[in-house]
Amino acid sequence: MTDPRIRASVRYPNDLTVPGMWHARLVRSPHPAARVTGVDTSLLPPGVVVLTPSDVEPLGRYGCQISDQYVLAGVARHVGDPVAAVAAADEATAREAANLLEVGYEKLPAVFDERDALCAGAPPVHDTHAVSDSDAAYFGLRPLEGTNVCHRFRIRTAGLPQGAPCTADPEPDDHAEGFDAAEVIVDETFRTPAVQHVAMEPHACIASWRDGRLEVTTGTQTPFNLRQDLARLFGLPETDVRIVCPPMGGSFGAKTFVRTEAIAAAVAQRLDRPVRLALDRDEEFVTLTRHAATVRVRLGATRGGRFVAKRVWCWVNTGAYADCGPGVAMKMGYAGVGPYRFDHVAVDSFCIYTNLPPAGAFRGYGAAQSVWASERVTDLMAAELGVDPVELRRQNLLVDGDVFCTGETMHDVHFEELLDAAAHAVDWQPGGDNRGKGVAVMLKGMQTPSRAEIGLRRVDDSHFEVLSGTTEMGQGSARAIAQLAADLLGVDADQVEVPPPDTDRVPYDTRTTSSRSTHMMGRALESAVEDLKNSGSDYGHGQIANEGGLDVDTGQGVASSHWHQGAAAAAVEVDDETGTLTLRSVHAASYAGRIVNRAAAELQQEGAMIMAIGTTLFEELTFDQGQVVGPNLSDYNIPSALDCAAVTQSILEVEGAEVHGLGETALPPVPPAIGNALASLGYRPTELPLTPERVLDCAEDA
Amino acid sequence: MDMLLQINGAPVQVEVEPGVMLLEVLRDQLGLLGARGTCGVGLCGACTVLLDGDPISSCILLAPLAQGHAITTVEGVPDDDPVVEAFDRHHAFQCGYCIPGMVLTAKSFLAECAQARRCPSREQIAESLGGNLCRCGCYVKIIDAVQEVGS
């Protein structure tokens, strides 16, 4: 029997229908900032139901970290913000009705650039920033009322001054910030644009109400966060909300927290019948994006190449709603320090509202943006010192027992081996001629703190069922969990069933993010197997928690209970007349600890690299007065089979080590490896993607 | 209007509006869910079906124009098809959303190669699959699978 995905016997959320369901469509704001002044339904055909902002305003606001979003926007804050929903018995009528609805607007001032939004006089995107009481607001949030900053995160190693102004153009204070011993300082500002996940399956859900309970079938990585947020919106106990999660046709962070589910639930409540809400491709581009960010890095070293101090500023464009942007800003902040030893580190990361579509989780989660900046600066320092970039990194990389800028002592770290593997793959010549080649190293945290529970049920003498909240988006977690359970139970993997999560059946799990699931669920399984053996019943329960977290004012604490570690190297050619950059070889080396399923691990590596190549060379969301330019797959290109020829990867295993997730590790180091390879040919790239125009613009002799 | 379509070797009678695309007929009326609409403009390949053996984007083909042609969807490809088996053996999928379209395009390309009695190179395979997008990025293993069958 071949895998059911190949011949389409898997049913994704977008495939599902239920008897009697109606179809909802959304009416979206054409303005980046506008107050809805009226909704005229007079042109609508009969039999259509309309929900307006005033209908849903009593439900209040939601948001996983800041409560800043109404189910439908009475004040639209980005082009594409849903201001009304229409529903009809068939989809064609619903589409027609959405086109015929007349919405009146009063335009308001808007701001789009993350640094413009910090300036005095910038229009406030939100009047207040109320911290959410959701489980996902798990760290101290620091909204700056009266500004567009919904969170600021700081790192200050011991002895550095705590405060810093919230500004778009900071003045470094080298003496105060620990640069006194630095003999060479490099300082550069970088930018990464917004990009979109482009999961092949767009968002789709079905909501229905049954005896006062809300049931939602949807593609989501966060079933328990979604359950909690919907319960609070609709005034229900969490146990009266059921989230069913069929496998998704890709997600990459796009299907997280509340997306379209609250609107579908509100329409279903009004109609008292099931409602399907599925998005078109163009709607995906205004539903969630990856944060555009400006990152400035100032690095000080001795003439001998020892890193002394680092100063990082991140300006993180979270768009109209915070979503999990505060968490992204925090992780961008410490990933931008990189896996190196320093005497002193100071980081300020600002999560900033603008009138662009909301940005949220995206494979690489903040690291992609700051590793681009940080690892480009490492090469700028190597050039300044006239030393080999691999050697400069090796001299400063963290090894077991070193202390990271957060104060945590590193263990089970393998940055040098990964760097060597990557450099070797592009035939790096130590101290020799490496023109056209570049390397990069990175660390990325795993969700900390978090908790995973798992149930293990004996179905009969030879069959088991694993009840896990880990959702499947193609990453292969269900298969990995079945394999881990089978290994612990001493049976074959095909004797273990892992059904799609249903919050009425599976125990609590924080969420399927940050490449944590194989690691956390694997550990929870160990205690579930133990419990099954000891309990004498047919059910075992397992639980694991990783403790930690950072103080958001000093960045001290435990950022990650273990670290995703990766390196990449690239060899490129550039046509200096046209600016066309050609990849000859791109290699990523990642630390797996122990591999559970080799094919799945390789697929994650290659997939992350290919996604990274897209965002390095051509993927970029551009906006005209807040409107996405070309929200379609003709204008917004993603990599095809023609973009993978240069890709190779390797995975470092250590006998007896714990399992490390591999969903994201190979993504963040690829853009700077390519950028550094380009830089070695006489260019100074600071802004992604490296389109031919940008390449020509950043030629050193231009 | 009434229409007679030839789908996976069997005649199928359907009643549709003339402006309906073949994809909607397959999914909404016939429950054949292997073809998937994702870009809506015939660019991503997820809605690929074979029309007389050639891959086409069913999201932009008006259903009436498919009359008189043999339509193959992934549901009409047997489980022991060599391309299906090669995709399985090489783990050439992650989420699987694009894979039915990928399999059909590969089948068509490999049939062409067989007819011309040539083994395709990796570059030729990549070229042939260039209109089928996979955001999970399984291309390396997909090309491995197609190359194995093509040799």
Side-chain angles (χ1 to χ4, degrees):
Chain A
M1 192 51 200
T2 55
D3 189 280
R5 281 168 282 205
I6 301 175
R7 289 179 60 253
S9 52
V10 166
R11 291 291 167 262
Y12 302 90
N14 200 29
D15 292 330
L16 301 178
T17 56
V18 292
M21 74 178 191
W22 275 34
H23 299 262
R25 292 290 301 165
L26 302 179
V27 178
R28 296 172 179 278
S29 169
H31 307 295
R35 186 181 313 282
V36 174
T37 54
V39 177
D40 178 359
T41 60
S42 60
L43 291 173
L44 296 194
V48 171
V49 163
V50 179
L51 241 64
T52 65
S54 55
D55 293 325
V56 294
E57 196 181 344
L59 296 173
R61 287 182 294 193
Y62 68 93
C64 61
Q65 293 183 340
I66 305 280
S67 286
D68 57 10
Q69 191 161 12
Y70 284 101
V71 174
L72 293 166
V75 176
R77 293 185 162 90
H78 67 93
V79 176
D81 209 352
V83 295
V86 297
D90 65 281
E91 196 181 342
T93 305
R95 281 179 183 275
E96 188 189 358
N99 287 333
L100 293 172
L101 198 73
E102 289 281 349
V103 180
Y105 295 96
E106 174 202 342
K107 288 197 226 174
L108 302 169
V111 62
F112 307 112
D113 179 87
E114 58 273 11
R115 289 199 285 175
D116 291 349
L118 282 187
C119 294
V125 178
H126 293 270
D127 297 331
T128 62
H129 313 328
V131 174
S132 171
D133 60 355
S134 158
D135 280 358
Y138 61 93
F139 51 89
L141 282 129
R142 294 287 183 270
L144 306 181
E145 290 290 347
T147 76
N148 281 315
V149 175
C150 63
H151 179 61
R152 70 106 183 92
F153 168 72
R154 275 187 198 143
I155 298 174
R156 296 288 188 276
T157 51
L160 297 192
Q162 297 296 306
C166 170
T167 167
D169 195 14
E171 197 60 52
D173 183 345
D174 286 337
H175 176 64
E177 289 168 347
F179 282 70
D180 280 348
E183 292 161 324
V184 181
I185 294 174
V186 289
D187 188 333
E188 185 59 276
T189 301
F190 298 83
R191 192 158 196 283
T192 47
V195 296
Q196 219 276 328
H197 312 71
V198 194
M200 296 314 292
E201 181 199 27
H203 290 79
C205 68
I206 296 175
S208 60
W209 291 79
R210 191 172 302 174
D211 304 325
R213 288 191 89 216
L214 171 61
E215 291 192 11
V216 179
T217 301
T218 187
T220 182
Q221 297 177 231
T222 60
F224 285 93
N225 296 114
L226 179 59
R227 184 177 78 160
Q228 186 181 52
D229 288 346
L230 290 178
R232 289 175 184 194
L233 266 175
F234 289 96
L236 300 168
E238 285 181 36
T239 48
D240 276 352
V241 179
R242 178 186 182 191
I243 309 293
V244 180
C245 315
M248 289 166 262
S251 177
F252 317 106
K255 296 165 183 169
T256 44
F257 305 107
V258 179
R259 297 269 73 92
T260 56
E261 294 89 351
I263 302 175
V267 178
Q269 189 174 39
R270 161 71 73 85
L271 287 167
D272 195 22
R273 59 167 76 238
V275 167
R276 176 176 187 265
L277 176 52
L279 300 187
D280 288 345
R281 179 59 58 191
D282 61 334
E283 297 180 284
E284 290 289 302
F285 289 89
V286 293
T287 297
L288 202 70
T289 68
R290 182 174 87 179
H291 291 83
T294 301
V295 179
R296 177 175 169 190
V297 177
R298 186 171 174 84
L299 171 62
T302 63
R303 287 249 167 252
R306 188 180 71 81
F307 289 174
V308 171
K310 196 164 195 178
R311 186 76 178 93
V312 179
W313 295 267
C314 305
W315 295 276
V316 186
N317 191 330
T318 204
Y321 300 104
D323 200 78
C324 62
V328 171
M330 176 166 70
K331 285 161 191 176
M332 198 180 297
Y334 67 70
V337 176
Y340 301 109
R341 284 181 299 273
F342 296 97
D343 298 340
H344 300 286
V345 170
V347 175
D348 287 87
S349 187
F350 301 101
C351 187
I352 303 165
Y353 285 125
T354 64
N355 295 102
L356 292 181
F362 189 106
R363 193 180 207 173
Y365 206 84
Q369 294 91 330
S370 61
V371 172
W372 161 246
S374 165
E375 281 298 81
R376 280 285 301 117
V377 163
T378 308
D379 263 41
L380 292 176
M381 178 60 81
E384 196 67 31
L385 294 170
V387 299
D388 181 313
V390 171
E391 201 42 56
L392 180 65
R393 285 178 173 81
R394 201 182 276 127
Q395 187 181 346
N396 292 284
L397 280 172
L398 294 166
V399 297
D400 280 1
D402 280 342
V403 177
F404 187 48
C405 62
T406 54
E408 64 208 280
T409 301
M410 304 305 274
H411 60 93
D412 195 21
V413 295
H414 304 271
F415 298 109
E416 287 191 45
E417 291 153 89
L418 296 166
L419 174 63
D420 287 346
H424 180 73
V426 295
D427 195 23
W428 188 272
Q429 303 295 316
D433 180 2
N434 291 301
R435 273 176 297 176
K437 297 176 193 169
V439 297
V441 195
M442 70 106 215
L443 53 62
K444 182 188 172 296
M446 188 186 74
Q447 179 64 43
T448 303
S450 83
R451 186 159 64 86
E453 293 180 38
I454 201 161
L456 180 60
R457 199 169 71 82
R458 191 195 308 276
V459 179
D460 58 37
D461 282 349
S462 56
H463 290 91
F464 297 85
E465 183 184 44
V466 174
L467 297 169
S468 153
T470 296
T471 59
E472 180 62 46
M473 64 200 104
Q475 83 279 34
S477 285
R479 203 168 32 182
I481 289 167
Q483 184 63 57
L484 287 165
D487 290 349
L488 290 165
L489 292 161
V491 300
D492 289 336
D494 60 9
Q495 291 170 260
V496 181
E497 194 77 32
V498 186
D502 170 347
T503 57
D504 274 6
R505 288 199 73 213
V506 301
Y508 180 85
D509 176 52
T510 299
R511 51 191 160 270
T512 308
T513 59
S514 69
S515 308
R516 65 181 279 280
S517 297
T518 312
H519 172 75
M520 292 296 286
M521 283 296 171
R523 290 172 65 198
L525 260 175
E526 290 172 18
S527 67
V529 169
E530 199 63 27
D531 189 46
L532 181 72
K533 284 177 181 159
N534 295 338
S535 68
S537 77
D538 286 332
Y539 185 79
H541 181 262
Q543 179 169 328
I544 191 82
N546 61 336
E547 307 291 349
L550 292 178
D551 181 290
V552 294
D553 300 316
T554 63
Q556 300 303 296
V558 175
S560 187
S561 61
H562 82 184
W563 290 97
H564 301 314
Q565 304 159 41
V572 310
E573 282 173 22
V574 181
D575 182 326
D576 57 16
E577 304 247 310
T578 65
T580 305
L581 193 159
T582 305
L583 303 177
R584 290 289 162 225
S585 173
V586 184
H587 185 92
S590 303
Y591 180 52
R594 182 158 58 87
I595 290 179
V596 179
N597 179 316
R598 182 164 297 278
E602 290 173 359
L603 283 160
Q604 288 283 49
Q605 288 271 97
E606 290 162 359
M609 291 179 71
I610 290 167
M611 196 172 243
I613 287 171
T615 58
T616 309
L617 298 186
F618 45 82
E619 285 186 48
E620 174 177 22
L621 273 183
T622 53
F623 300 92
D624 182 357
Q625 290 302 301
Q627 173 152 334
V628 181
V629 177
N632 58 69
L633 296 188
S634 176
D635 295 296
Y636 188 94
N637 283 190
I638 63 172
S640 79
L642 295 160
D643 296 301
C644 71
V647 167
T648 61
Q649 54 80 36
S650 59
I651 302 171
L652 177 67
E653 284 183 281
V654 171
E655 195 161 350
E658 57 188 14
V659 174
H660 285 241
L662 282 174
E664 304 166 274
T665 314
L667 191 148
V670 166
I674 294 172
N676 287 338
L678 173 66
S680 75
L681 296 170
Y683 296 82
R684 194 179 172 102
T686 56
E687 188 168 354
L688 289 173
L690 302 171
T691 57
E693 294 83 354
R694 284 218 181 88
V695 168
L696 292 179
D697 282 349
C698 74
E700 300 264 32
D701 57 3
Chain B
M1 62 182 281
D2 281 331
M3 248 177 24
L4 183 67
L5 295 175
Q6 199 70 29
I7 300 178
N8 297 330
V12 180
Q13 191 82 39
V14 288
E15 196 194 330
V16 298
E17 296 288 321
V20 162
M21 298 299 170
L22 177 60
L23 177 68
E24 294 166 68
V25 176
L26 295 174
R27 287 183 66 88
D28 300 343
Q29 294 198 32
L30 304 175
L32 295 169
L33 300 173
R36 290 153 184 157
T38 99
C39 75
V41 289
L43 284 167
C44 75
C47 68
T48 300
V49 300
L50 301 183
L51 204 68
D52 299 328
D54 294 328
I56 58 106
S57 294
S58 65
C59 76
I60 52 167
L61 182 72
L62 289 166
L65 298 178
Q67 294 176 102
H69 299 280
I71 300 161
T72 308
T73 73
V74 82
E75 289 86 353
V77 179
D79 212 34
D80 62 358
D81 179 90
V83 178
V84 169
E85 288 188 331
F87 269 65
D88 195 48
R89 200 161 45 245
H90 287 271
H91 302 275
F93 55 88
Q94 288 193 66
C95 80
Y97 210 71
C98 68
I99 294 299
M102 203 69 85
V103 165
L104 290 167
T105 301
K107 278 184 68 64
S108 169
F109 172 68
L110 289 167
E112 259 175 49
C113 294
Q115 201 164 21
R117 306 184 65 79
R118 65 183 167 89
C119 296
S121 66
R122 291 186 79 82
E123 291 72 25
Q124 289 166 332
I125 294 167
E127 189 77 40
S128 77
L129 297 174
N132 289 79
L133 300 177
C134 168
R135 188 54 152 172
C136 298
C138 305
Y139 299 122
V140 175
K141 290 189 168 31
I142 289 169
I143 294 170
D144 289 345
V146 175
Q147 190 172 34
E148 183 189 87
V149 181
S151 61

